[in-house]
Amino acid sequence: MELQELLNKESFTKEELIYLLNLKNEDQINLLFKKADEVRQKYCGNEVHLRGIIEISNYCEQNCIYCGLRLDNHYLKRYRMTPEEIVKTAKSITNEGIFTIVLQSGEDSFFDTEIISYIIYQIKQNVDVAITLSLGERNFDDYKTWKIAGADRYLLKHETANPRLYEAYHFKQKLAERLEHLEYLKSIGYQVGSGNLIGLPMQTVDDIADDILLCSKFDLDMAAFGPFIPSPHTPYHNKQSGDVLLTLKTIAVARLVLKNVHIPSTTALATLDKNGRKKGLMVGANVVMPDFTPIPYRENYLIYPEKAGLKDDPIVAKANLENLLNSIGRNISYKRGDSLKQKVIPS
Ligand code: SF4
């Protein structure tokens, strides 16, 4: 089958995904990118949705082998924002016309059912804003209570669809449990996001194809594919970073397969390549997640080091992003940017 004919297909086999991810010829890769951009345009339009992130705590009770926030990293200066600081930061995000707030942390049970519910309630009191939680694997009652309190979305990366690799990276956690959590979150009405890391040690292109297919099987609302970046003081501190081109190909192939799903151009991609943000947006991505975590907390949310924009003022960063988007004929959305799949009733 000719490449163009393959790219025009509506659905793909795993072998076809592997073939596309393995493309080496520059002209062929450009054809893939062009098609992914067309599919993005058809299903998502020109708008780029912004999700304002607040990294509320860098404590974590897990020990994921690749992550700088892992429990055993005793070199990391730990912090927790107060609920008042979080609500104030959320206000600064909505003041910028960004109507999705992501509350992100390690798995930190200090932020319990009541505290998170209180924060959600406070943020939602005066403004119609979508709240995404990215707090790791928590118990099912917490998910339910937070949904009732007004949370709209939950981000829980599956990291890898390969159960053997999952166990190697996570020690205690199991892939099957993570997938149960994703199922449960969907069943109680969250818009759900997941995704993987590109370039983790031992990962193959075959695994990445499975990651995309898993996102399809779970009929996700959001899917993130960012490169692995080694973090100091972790067992993977001396491993290679994920490959930028493979990450871009993954975003493009994911767009062809997943179609009406929100896909971010990640900060990790922008960290490895100064034009990474733009490149991601040009090969299928339609979301950017600017970091509004106040300084000095932000510099201690060290999942990986030397994060792009670490010291940037978020308002200046947003203006720069606007210029970047203008240069590629795109524009910022000033809406909540809910799931493209369903008519969402805001909570
Ligand atoms: S990946 Fe998440 S759960 Fe794992 S150590 Fe990092 S913050 Fe904790």
Side-chain angles (χ1 to χ4, degrees):
M1 195 187 298
E2 288 289 316
L3 178 60
Q4 191 61 60
E5 199 183 334
L6 172 60
L7 293 172
N8 287 338
K9 285 183 67 175
E10 277 301 306
S11 60
F12 300 84
T13 64
K14 181 175 169 185
E15 288 64 38
E16 288 167 342
L17 301 193
I18 292 171
Y19 173 79
L20 292 172
L21 290 166
N22 274 327
L23 287 178
K24 298 273 184 290
N25 175 290
E26 201 181 324
D27 291 341
Q28 291 190 321
I29 293 170
N30 286 338
L31 265 186
L32 165 67
F33 289 168
K34 183 165 174 284
K35 183 65 188 179
D37 198 43
E38 285 166 19
V39 174
R40 185 272 310 155
Q41 172 72 39
K42 177 174 170 190
Y43 287 93
C44 314
N46 255 338
E47 293 186 322
V48 173
H49 298 285
L50 303 191
R51 318 306 198 187
I53 297 190
I54 314 175
E55 293 152 342
I56 65 174
S57 159
N58 69 353
Y59 282 85
C60 188
E61 290 148 26
Q62 295 295 343
N63 240 332
C64 308
I65 200 164
Y66 47 80
C67 175
L69 303 196
R70 67 199 303 270
L71 181 67
D72 286 351
N73 182 0
H74 302 296
Y75 293 88
L76 185 66
K77 189 171 166 208
R78 305 279 174 172
Y79 72 85
R80 290 186 179 106
M81 292 175 67
T82 66
E84 292 67 33
E85 286 173 321
I86 296 166
V87 173
K88 189 171 162 218
T89 307
K91 180 102 182 64
S92 74
I93 295 174
T94 54
N95 284 347
E96 282 301 302
I98 297 174
F99 295 107
T100 291
I101 286 163
V102 183
L103 302 179
Q104 187 163 63
S105 72
E107 276 185 35
D108 181 8
S109 52
F110 174 88
F111 279 97
D112 62 10
T113 324
E114 284 72 34
I115 299 177
I116 293 293
S117 299
Y118 170 79
I119 293 166
I120 294 168
Y121 180 74
Q122 289 296 321
I123 292 174
K124 285 214 148 185
Q125 263 202 334
N126 298 317
V127 58
D128 176 22
V129 60
I131 294 189
T132 302
L133 301 177
S134 177
L135 308 175
E137 270 183 36
R138 305 297 293 261
N139 73 53
F140 285 14
D141 282 346
D142 282 348
Y143 297 144
K144 198 164 200 168
T145 306
W146 297 335
K147 185 81 188 69
I148 293 166
D152 301 271
R153 309 177 191 150
Y154 208 98
L155 281 182
L156 189 65
K157 281 189 161 191
H158 68 275
E159 313 292 3
T160 172
N162 179 329
R164 279 182 307 101
L165 290 185
Y166 193 93
E167 283 190 33
Y169 301 146
H170 295 97
F171 302 107
K172 283 189 295 184
Q173 296 172 301
K174 300 263 183 277
L175 178 62
E177 286 164 13
R178 174 123 328 190
L179 300 184
E180 274 171 26
H181 282 248
L182 287 171
E183 278 293 6
Y184 181 73
L185 288 161
K186 272 171 61 89
S187 75
I188 59 171
Y190 279 96
Q191 299 168 51
V192 176
S194 195
N196 76 349
L197 282 174
I198 312 285
L200 280 167
M202 302 176 283
Q203 180 192 57
T204 63
V205 167
D206 192 292
D207 294 321
I208 297 173
D210 280 334
D211 289 331
I212 296 171
L213 291 171
L214 185 143
C215 292
S216 173
K217 179 175 159 216
F218 275 76
D219 194 22
L220 297 173
D221 304 291
M222 302 162 270
F225 306 93
F228 159 70
I229 301 177
S231 191
H233 313 299
T234 67
Y236 283 172
H237 68 100
N238 58 357
K239 302 292 182 192
Q240 287 257 310
S241 291
D243 181 70
V244 168
L245 182 59
L246 181 58
T247 304
L248 293 171
K249 287 194 279 186
T250 304
I251 292 172
V253 174
R255 176 58 74 198
L256 297 187
V257 174
L258 304 174
K259 299 183 171 57
N260 56 348
V261 162
H262 291 302
I263 299 180
S265 183
T266 64
T267 302
L269 184 56
T271 300
L272 290 185
D273 180 331
K274 67 178 176 12
N275 294 317
R277 182 87 75 204
K278 180 172 166 182
K279 288 179 182 174
L281 289 167
M282 292 176 75
V283 302
N286 71 319
V287 167
V288 173
M289 303 177 77
D291 191 350
F292 278 77
T293 309
I295 290 170
Y297 299 128
R298 202 190 306 171
E299 58 205 28
N300 287 311
Y301 202 83
L302 282 175
I303 289 178
Y304 56 83
E306 292 165 34
K307 232 190 249 180
L310 191 61
K311 300 212 184 311
D312 291 358
D313 177 283
I315 296 171
V316 175
K318 181 170 165 257
N320 291 340
L321 179 65
E322 203 148 21
N323 290 337
L324 182 150
L325 295 182
N326 286 340
S327 76
I328 55 171
R330 308 274 284 279
N331 55 285
I332 291 179
S333 161
Y334 287 98
K335 294 179 282 204
R336 288 169 38 124
D338 280 304
S339 173
L340 298 161
K341 297 200 163 175
Q342 65 210 39
K343 181 152 178 22
V344 174
I345 303 162
S347 39

